[in-house]
Amino acid sequence: MRTCLLVLIAIALISPAPFAAAQCDEGWLPGPPLSAFDGPSRAMTLWDPDGAGQQAEWLVVGGRFSTAREIPALSIAAWDGIRWHSFGRGLAIDQSDYLYGGIHALTVFDGRLVAAGDIVASDDRPLNHIAFWDGRSWQPLGEGLDDRVRALTVHGGVLIAAGDFTYSGETPISRVAGWDGARWHALGDGIGEGEVEALAVYGGELVAGGHFTTAGGVPADSIAVWNGADWRPLGTGVAGGSDAAIHAMAVLDGALIVGGTFSSAGGRVASNLAEWDGQEWRPIYSEMSREVRSLEVVDGQLVASGRIASQYLNPSSIMRLERGAWVQIGPSGSMPANDLIQYRGRLFACGWLGDPFPSSIVQWDASQYSPQWRVLGREPDLHRPLRAMIEFNGELIGSTLFTRTYQTPSLVVRWDGRQWTSFGSSPGVVSRGVIRDFAVYRNALFAGGSMSSNGVSVDFGLAQLYGTQWLPVPGATSGVSALCVYHDELLIGGWGLSRWDGMTMRLVEPRPEDRIFAMTVFRDELIVGGEFQATSDGQELRYIGAWNGSQWHSLGTGMEFRVWALTVYNDRLIAGGEFLSAGDVYAAGIAQWDGENWDRVGDVDIGYAYKLANYHGELIAAGDISKAYGAPSAGIARWDGQEWHALDEGIQENSIGQGTGSLAVHDDRLFVSGAFIRAGGRVSAYWGRWGPSLPGDLNGDDRVDLIDLYGLLQGFGREVDAVYSDGDFDIDGDVDISDLAALLGSFGMTCP
């Protein structure tokens, strides 16, 4: 097969010709991958896919997700050190627990990978909370278990599962079960009311930790030991009120370490972390005074993740115990890690980690001169949507929290044709906050939002770019939502309305009495929309109004509810928002004003429009969009003046919402950003481009060349970890000869 490929490629390249312009149809261009998963990860283990063969171990991750970087991977995926792999069609999970559902435990038993949690099926085969991978598909383990499985281990050659369950088929099994290769059996009378969250093997015995008060019918406060015949408590266990629990366990230097949510162990004060030395409980000093979620021993040192004292500011952390003192590893985050593991000399943490971590799974390499948490593989440019975009001096500028782990965070980024990079930064100037809108005024770029500077406690709402530095504009208070140039002044809307003439900031009086979300100019008047219903002097303006530079007036009887977006299309004012009517006309989510009357835009309800733009003579509406002229149109639609049309498969519904996401036109393409991970059915994390597209253009540079060919061959016959595409041009799930033929058919072509 490889020889045939080389022959085909040689034929395509024998007589190279200059790049020729092609006829490019409009569509979604290849988009950026996810940094890892599109949902939280909860458990990890190491597994060798070929047993005693030459292949190295993989890191297997389970959770509640459907995609790993670019490939479909339902709830479980494996990292081989270079790329992600899926396991068949994955594992379907019970969706009733959105926050905490998923795969909770992974282990290897008899060389086979075992996954457990809230599993209900795989490839239409019913599975009861636990399954094993046979190399081709997921298979049941007997009759399974009747409720969530939270922990797995192997003890005495037996697979042990623990969690919330009480039955396997008709067999009573109370929260801890053993698999003998043919069926599940109980371990004595099991664990009483509650749940088991962690398992460990210590001193040749099985230890169960969680939230319970009895084991084998005898008192046991959240921890108990199984010796093969009976359950017994481990000392007096842990305590701390009705919520006392053990979440994680590890063995280090002959001691059993337990972490969780408790205030005492063995009757001694212990803040969520303690050790059992075989005879008695001893507290371990912990800075995680709210919770210890996960534990791991790395190179002989204890590593823990949990919540520290502060409830609002950096409430969680990953720390290492060195000579009796805790040392923080990397930055604090908003959520603790669900699991920790060492793989190929590096520490891996998984969870729904939040800022400033760049992904739901990250790695820490302590051997580096300046260790940092990094994503697995190449890091995408953006980890969250762009809240605003604008074209300035021929470049596209966007606002986000730019969080590439090896670069300084920036609120403003620039698209250079291939990637997003930090734009305009300098110590002591704009460095934190959120930017909601941009404007170009007198050839200068302005940003509006809620911002602050390093070392400065005062927040401000407007900043101007001077060279490469963003500097505050005096007089603009925080909370700016919209900017607009009108009569040679910059109008600043938010909690009120101000005007800036380049020297002086003045309030517009009277002004709308509540927040302004959008502004535009229509027939030489400033139009403002938001959640106001009157001006400060009592004049009625129902969610939208017009200002001529000195006086306000209403547009008919206004709207029924909030206006979030404004633009002008075909000499009509277009308003989008959460309203159901405009004036006395039913117009759900989008309406047009001709200067005298409100009217619907088309005769089909497309949904609520939160962002509007003009592209190639058509009106673009994005937001809670569900249909366009009878056809599904997820998240976005286009109006040609007569009918609404879908943009292929669109994006996820509700991914562009109130104050989230943005639209812009640059380089003859429509740029769309929001909380979506797919555009046109393919992975395109947080932003995408719609416009002229060329089959075979993997990296989206408007030409099909050797770079694209190399990228496709790298993944031929398997999943691809390319920069911006998986190479599956016909979207049939495989990168094969048909995809290669599509690329060669366009080789040497460019989009004009």
Side-chain angles (χ1 to χ4, degrees), residues 713-735:
L713 293 180
Q714 286 292 99
F716 194 87
R718 53 179 169 77
E719 301 92 355
V720 176
D721 189 27
V723 176
Y724 283 131
S725 176
D726 58 8
D728 182 18
F729 302 122
D730 55 9
I731 318 181
D732 65 354
D734 299 305
V735 180

Side-chain angles (χ1 to χ4, degrees), residues 133-413:
W133 176 251
D134 69 0
R136 289 191 170 187
S137 61
W138 291 100
Q139 301 294 333
L141 274 78
E143 294 183 279
L145 300 159
D146 72 336
D147 208 338
R148 175 178 290 169
V149 177
R150 297 176 182 265
L152 295 171
T153 194
V154 177
H155 176 240
V158 176
L159 174 65
I160 307 296
D164 305 357
F165 52 84
T166 54
Y167 279 89
S168 174
E170 299 297 323
T171 304
I173 299 180
S174 187
R175 295 175 180 83
V176 183
W179 172 256
D180 61 12
R183 64 182 180 86
W184 290 100
H185 61 269
L187 274 62
D189 291 335
I191 303 296
E193 290 294 325
E195 61 271 342
V196 178
E197 298 185 38
L199 294 170
V201 176
Y202 176 68
E205 297 179 310
L206 177 68
V207 184
H211 177 57
F212 53 85
T213 57
T214 63
V218 300
D221 285 337
S222 297
I223 189 165
V225 179
W226 173 255
N227 62 12
D230 300 294
W231 288 98
R232 73 174 189 275
L234 197 61
T236 56
V238 302
S242 60
D243 294 329
I246 289 173
H247 304 318
M249 296 190 288
V251 177
L252 174 64
D253 295 335
L256 176 69
I257 314 296
V258 301
T261 308
F262 52 84
S263 58
S264 68
R268 304 172 66 179
V269 175
S271 181
N272 303 319
L273 194 63
E275 64 176 349
W276 173 261
D277 64 4
Q279 301 293 325
E280 62 178 353
W281 286 103
R282 294 186 297 185
I284 298 176
Y285 168 72
S286 169
E287 294 187 10
M288 300 175 190
S289 58
R290 297 181 63 208
E291 174 194 24
V292 172
R293 177 76 61 84
S294 53
L295 296 170
E296 176 72 355
V297 176
V298 179
D299 297 331
Q301 293 179 318
L302 182 65
V303 178
S305 179
R307 297 176 186 267
I308 58 179
S310 172
Q311 185 176 1
Y312 302 104
L313 180 62
N314 294 332
S316 68
S317 185
I318 300 175
M319 308 187 83
R320 180 176 58 223
L321 187 60
E322 296 182 4
R323 299 177 182 178
W326 288 100
V327 177
Q328 185 166 303
I329 302 176
S332 297
S334 58
M335 294 293 290
N338 289 325
D339 201 5
L340 300 166
I341 198 170
Q342 188 174 16
Y343 174 61
R344 298 189 181 181
R346 298 181 179 182
L347 174 65
F348 287 72
C350 78
W352 200 241
L353 303 172
D355 292 334
F357 291 98
S359 174
S360 53
I361 181 169
V362 289
Q363 58 181 325
W364 174 267
D365 185 359
S367 67
Q368 298 295 316
Y369 174 75
S370 179
Q372 292 178 328
W373 288 106
R374 295 180 180 270
V375 303
L376 281 59
R378 172 174 172 151
E379 185 169 359
D381 299 338
L382 304 175
H383 297 294
R384 51 190 49 77
L386 297 161
R387 298 194 65 154
M389 291 186 284
I390 193 172
E391 196 170 53
F392 176 65
N393 287 344
E395 296 182 314
L396 185 64
I397 309 299
S399 71
T400 185
L401 182 57
F402 188 63
T403 56
R404 270 193 172 175
T405 52
Y406 54 85
Q407 294 191 10
T408 302
S410 173
L411 296 181
V412 185
V413 293

